[in-house]
Amino acid sequence: MTAARSSTPTEVDAVVVGAGFSGLYLLWKLRKHGYTAVALDKGKEVGGTWHWNRYPGARCDVDSHDYSFGFDEGLEQEWEWSERYPSQPELQAYLAHVADRFDLRRDIRLETTVTEAHFDDDTKKWTVRTDAGDTYVAKFCLMAVGCLSVPKDVDVPGLENYTGPIYRTSSWPEEGVDFSGLRVAAIGTGSSGVQAIPEIAKQAGQLTVLQRTANFVIPARNHKLDPAYVADIKANYRERRLLSRSMPAGCIRDDNPKTAFEVSDDERRAEFEKRWEGGGIAFLGAYSDLMVDQKANDAVSDFIRSKIDEIVTDPDTADSLKPYGYPMGAKRPVVGTDWYETFNRDNVELVDLRKKELDGFTEKGMRLADGTDYEFDAIVLATGFDAFTGAFSTMDIRGRQGRSLNEAWSEGPKTHLGLGTAGFPNMFIIANVGSPSVLANMVTAIEQHVEWTVDTMDYMRDQDLETIEATAEAQEAWVETVEEIANMTLWPQGESGSWYRGANIEGKPQIFMPYAGGIVLYEETWNEVREAGFKGFVLQ
Ligand code: N01
């Protein structure tokens, strides 16, 4: 607990919780529209997810020029992305540059964790308190908290017995870690583990990878950007942004309109090969039915398994690395560099926890159920997040009549369009549960929400309205819509426990949280709601 900074409440129009992509854009937009605002963030620097997840190899898997703000032409033109996919240091530098360039820092309080946000039924205002002892009073409470900001508790048996250093990808030491010559264990083979493990393997003396569920890993094929390519993008940036907004994924992807079985086996294989060579998430656009038709999904899954056989020299290891039991894409597809190749290294061992049970961690390492002992000099955890709702549940958020959000969401998070929730007036949620968020280019999804939020605030100001609040009926209907759309796809399937539906956290209510209809349909829905006088919201 930090010492109290001020006891007198500061009154602003809006409190923004978070200073990552959403928080920064909100601050910029709010200021431009004449609102006073403050953004509160627990990090030492702006950047949100890109501040915390600074493990070796951390990188986005959306093209740099699309995973960036489109609100200012000067910013677009002056910023130089150096690689196809932006690395964490480059993204962190970009977001710091945005904060400086637009003088946003004067309204940002870093190393400040929001502990509570309470709505007052009489004043119709939110009181937001922080661990720094500050109190803010605001008409609007804007949740720019990110979908993956609370690391998942580690449920590895006996980890507390281990006395060596434990590093988490989600809060990597700023000074980095030197693994040279060390015996290292890595747990977790999702996007974070798949990026960190090949980098750690290059340094460590011996690396033991503990894998529970194998993932479908597509090669990234990251590379330096050609100046002529960049010049072309910059010359036509507006068109590119508009095109991105017209694509369901919120970024430009060469999606094939054909279905997987309307072509010959040879043509299908050639398409998969071409996309495997091209790298990245565009692989998912090989056929339009990969995420809706099990047979099409089996075809692409078999293709990836055949690639694993081609790359990994030891057949047992190859077998362990092959994912089964869920459709490709039902868990967030993973994009990696040298992931499968890493298991051909002499200093890397894969322990398949499906075949070799872990008895538990010991003071110096771990013991498998067959009695094999391992000693490690360090353990790396890449074990995921309490996604979407995690950041909300760490704060004491209370709406009308002091009702807590945790209680309101005890059966799972319910929102109308992902923007607001019944009983919590003037609390807007940015690109999180109930909206395209993680199933689209996050930056495009954030831009949509920030624009709609501030437009709504403008409307309320013009009409002299005090509150906006989702109705319980509208949010029940929206939760159903989100579920129905997800059920048209293969996303909700699979025994793998995806964080999309909270299945990676024991006891968490399982509902499919992101909206799977894409940003275009989503925008159409918002436009209809808006034109019908904010249907499903009560304004007064
Ligand atoms: O987390 P995850 P992540 N024993 O939940 C394993 C984004 N992201 O941080 O599948 C053993 O995906 C768990 O195993 P299992 C992206 O959206 C993007 O890697 O539960 N293993 C799994 O392998 C991504 O989806 C980028 O069986 C245990 C892993 O830990 C999201 O963040 C980069 C375990 C967790 O994987 C989250 O990715 C990084 C246990 N007790 C992240 N508990 C890019 O843009 C958990 N696991 C490229």
Side-chain angles (χ1 to χ4, degrees):
M1 193 92 158
T2 325
R5 276 208 295 235
S6 87
S7 50
T8 323
T10 306
E11 185 117 17
V12 283
D13 294 320
V15 168
V16 176
V17 186
F21 263 102
S22 322
L24 293 176
Y25 184 34
L26 265 172
L27 266 192
W28 181 87
K29 186 104 184 150
L30 288 166
R31 209 185 268 173
K32 205 168 165 57
H33 286 234
Y35 299 102
T36 55
V38 64
L40 309 169
D41 195 295
K42 67 180 174 195
K44 274 168 74 179
E45 178 47 310
V46 299
T49 207
W50 296 109
H51 165 70
W52 292 99
N53 292 273
R54 58 184 102 85
Y55 57 84
R59 183 181 295 286
C60 184
D61 56 10
V62 176
D63 282 29
S64 299
H65 288 90
D66 297 330
Y67 197 81
S68 56
F69 288 125
F71 66 78
D72 186 89
E73 226 172 296
L75 171 67
E76 274 176 353
Q77 292 298 323
E78 80 200 5
W79 186 262
E80 295 293 335
W81 294 109
S82 68
E83 295 174 272
R84 175 181 182 184
Y85 299 116
S87 66
Q88 179 273 333
E90 203 157 290
L91 277 163
Q92 172 82 76
Y94 172 73
L95 291 167
H97 173 72
V98 170
D100 292 331
R101 186 188 202 280
F102 299 107
D103 187 25
L104 300 177
R105 289 186 193 274
R106 69 181 149 94
D107 291 327
I108 299 174
R109 306 287 171 268
L110 295 171
E111 294 184 87
T112 301
T113 301
V114 171
T115 50
E116 60 178 59
H118 292 181
F119 181 74
D120 185 318
D121 289 288
D122 298 324
T123 62
K124 313 268 185 290
K125 289 195 171 161
W126 286 89
T127 298
V128 177
R129 294 199 167 82
T130 76
D131 68 342
D134 296 331
T135 303
Y136 299 89
V137 173
K139 179 167 173 176
F140 295 97
C141 185
L142 309 180
M143 295 300 188
V145 293
C147 299
L148 297 162
S149 43
V150 174
K152 183 189 125 153
D153 277 351
V154 181
D155 52 2
V156 183
L159 194 65
E160 65 284 357
N161 300 330
Y162 179 71
T163 53
I166 299 178
Y167 302 101
R168 290 171 171 79
T169 48
S170 52
S171 53
W172 203 256
E174 261 175 85
E175 62 283 7
V177 184
D178 183 1
F179 290 113
S180 303
L182 301 185
R183 298 161 302 176
V184 182
I187 309 173
T189 53
S191 297
S192 305
V194 163
Q195 289 187 326
I197 284 164
E199 293 301 313
I200 296 170
K202 287 182 199 159
Q203 227 189 23
Q206 177 66 34
L207 176 64
T208 307
V209 178
L210 278 71
Q211 174 193 265
R212 194 164 61 182
T213 310
N215 252 308
F216 291 96
V217 182
I218 299 152
R221 314 276 186 221
N222 183 45
H223 53 75
K224 292 271 176 223
L225 289 175
D226 171 17
Y229 170 82
V230 173
D232 184 53
I233 289 185
K234 288 193 175 181
N236 301 290
Y237 225 146
R238 221 64 352 252
E239 290 78 3
R240 189 178 175 98
R241 297 287 187 198
L242 287 173
L243 194 57
S244 295
R245 280 291 267 260
S246 73
M247 302 250 167
C251 54
I252 296 165
R253 229 174 62 177
D254 170 25
D255 286 349
N256 186 353
K258 288 183 187 169
T259 54
F261 283 92
E262 72 177 80
V263 301
S264 68
D265 291 355
D266 284 352
E267 187 180 335
R268 195 167 49 252
R269 175 93 200 174
E271 184 69 28
F272 288 152
E273 282 288 357
K274 184 185 87 186
R275 287 179 185 256
W276 183 265
E277 281 317 306
I281 227 94
F283 185 78
L284 300 182
Y287 290 101
S288 60
D289 55 347
L290 295 186
M291 283 315 298
V292 291
D293 178 38
Q294 185 63 56
K295 203 164 154 245
N297 196 284
D298 289 343
V300 75
S301 301
D302 285 344
F303 174 84
I304 297 178
R305 287 189 280 262
S306 76
K307 283 291 171 193
I308 298 171
D309 275 331
E310 270 175 37
I311 300 168
V312 180
T313 48
D314 174 55
D316 280 345
T317 307
D319 184 52
S320 287
L321 287 166
K322 284 184 210 161
Y324 284 103
Y326 64 98
M328 197 261 333
K331 274 160 77 87
R332 162 71 150 77
V334 177
V335 174
T337 297
D338 292 338
W339 171 246
Y340 294 118
E341 290 80 353
T342 292
F343 294 92
N344 292 335
R345 295 178 67 105
D346 292 338
N347 67 335
V348 175
E349 180 191 0
L350 180 71
V351 174
D352 181 349
L353 296 174
R354 292 174 301 183
K355 292 181 185 164
K356 293 181 180 176
E357 216 179 305
L358 177 66
D359 187 43
F361 276 81
T362 60
E363 193 185 328
K364 292 193 170 160
M366 69 170 182
R367 172 167 296 172
L368 298 180
D370 67 6
T372 319
D373 274 315
Y374 285 76
E375 288 193 4
F376 303 122
D377 302 306
I379 293 178
V380 173
L381 298 179
T383 42
F385 297 87
D386 181 358
F388 302 103
T389 54
F392 293 89
S393 56
T394 59
M395 293 178 272
D396 177 23
I397 302 172
R398 290 178 188 271
R400 285 197 193 280
Q401 279 112 41
R403 183 159 192 231
S404 91
L405 186 69
N406 284 337
E407 196 189 308
W409 284 3
S410 59
E411 291 169 4
K414 293 183 178 175
T415 67
H416 184 31
L417 289 165
L419 284 164
T421 185
F424 297 80
N426 295 356
M427 183 178 95
F428 283 93
I429 301 167
I430 307 298
N432 199 289
V433 61
S435 72
S437 62
V438 298
L439 296 182
N441 173 2
M442 268 307 281
V443 182
T444 317
I446 286 167
E447 288 184 334
Q448 275 186 331
H449 266 192
V450 168
E451 286 155 19
W452 301 349
T453 297
V454 180
D455 286 351
T456 306
M457 288 170 62
D458 286 351
Y459 176 82
M460 291 173 69
R461 183 171 56 188
D462 294 347
Q463 303 294 315
D464 208 15
L465 294 165
E466 273 187 316
T467 55
I468 179 169
E469 183 182 347
T471 66
E473 301 73 44
Q475 72 181 20
E476 288 299 332
W478 184 246
V479 168
E480 250 175 60
T481 302
V482 170
E483 197 73 36
E484 267 167 28
I485 293 180
N487 285 335
M488 289 175 201
T489 72
L490 301 175
W491 263 311
Q493 291 186 28
E495 59 198 35
S496 54
S498 168
W499 56 264
Y500 288 159
R501 56 192 166 97
N504 64 330
I505 305 286
E506 221 187 303
K508 190 163 170 168
Q510 290 199 23
I511 66 168
F512 196 81
M513 287 183 274
Y515 168 83
I519 67 150
V520 180
L521 189 59
Y522 182 64
E523 183 151 353
E524 279 169 26
T525 311
W526 168 252
N527 288 338
E528 283 163 21
V529 163
R530 181 75 177 80
E531 276 157 29
F534 295 93
K535 193 169 170 225
F537 292 96
V538 174
L539 289 97
Q540 47 195 14

